[in-house]
Amino acid sequence: MIIRLPLRFEGSKGEKVLYALFDSGATYSCINDDIVEELEILTPLHTPMRMVTASASVFMEIKHRVTLDFYHEDIRLSDEFYVIPNLSEQAIIGASTMQKWKIKLDFEHDSIFLDPSVSKAILVNLIAVK
């Protein structure tokens, strides 16, 4: 099952609100190649990755990645996104990102839940930096 929500994404080149698909069936987080260049400089992968799509016989080659911040209810999260040519969604938040940030999907309300300890850890890090 999936949930689609608008999130603010931020990179070194700018920021933009994108509709992100939270997909527990996707291992990695991905972003559309047409959108990402407005946000961040692409980092080439030393060795391109071949990933299988929903159709087991179809592979896609991934040549770039980016690190982006994204926000849910003013809580800043960050992760690596693989740049996917012709991705049907603007962005996909995959299982590895959801596990990292303890994001839980609430299908009954079409929303997500962040563990309160995530925002506390962020606040502690911001105070330590100042």
Side-chain angles (χ1 to χ4, degrees):
M1 296 190 84
I2 54 174
I3 293 174
R4 183 178 286 111
L5 296 172
L7 300 176
R8 183 168 57 93
F9 282 78
E10 186 176 81
S12 65
K13 294 170 71 177
E15 64 181 64
K16 187 172 185 134
V17 174
L18 303 176
Y19 277 89
L21 184 77
F22 287 80
D23 185 354
S24 60
T27 303
Y28 302 107
S29 294
C30 307
I31 190 162
N32 185 296
D33 64 331
D34 290 334
I35 295 170
V36 72
E37 293 192 36
E38 299 173 35
L39 298 171
E40 186 58 72
I41 299 165
L42 303 182
T43 302
L45 295 175
H46 182 267
T47 303
M49 294 173 58
R50 289 187 66 190
M51 287 189 183
V52 68
T53 64
S55 173
S57 62
V58 178
F59 291 88
M60 71 176 103
E61 187 171 71
I62 301 168
K63 298 179 180 179
H64 297 93
R65 66 179 158 210
V66 293
T67 299
L68 296 169
D69 294 334
F70 58 100
Y71 295 81
H72 176 67
E73 297 179 357
D74 295 328
I75 297 174
R76 181 173 137 178
L77 308 168
S78 181
D79 211 352
E80 176 180 82
F81 290 78
Y82 288 107
V83 179
I84 308 292
N86 304 312
L87 186 66
S88 60
E89 301 292 333
Q90 292 182 319
I92 295 174
I93 307 296
S96 61
T97 302
M98 288 189 270
Q99 289 171 351
K100 173 182 176 179
W101 292 106
K102 299 179 182 178
I103 296 170
K104 293 192 177 20
L105 304 180
D106 180 355
F107 296 110
E108 184 176 334
H109 299 100
D110 281 334
S111 63
I112 64 169
F113 174 77
L114 286 174
D115 186 317
S117 65
V118 171
S119 59
K120 289 178 185 173
I122 292 169
L123 181 60
V124 169
N125 288 338
L126 289 175
I127 292 170
V129 170
K130 291 182 180 182

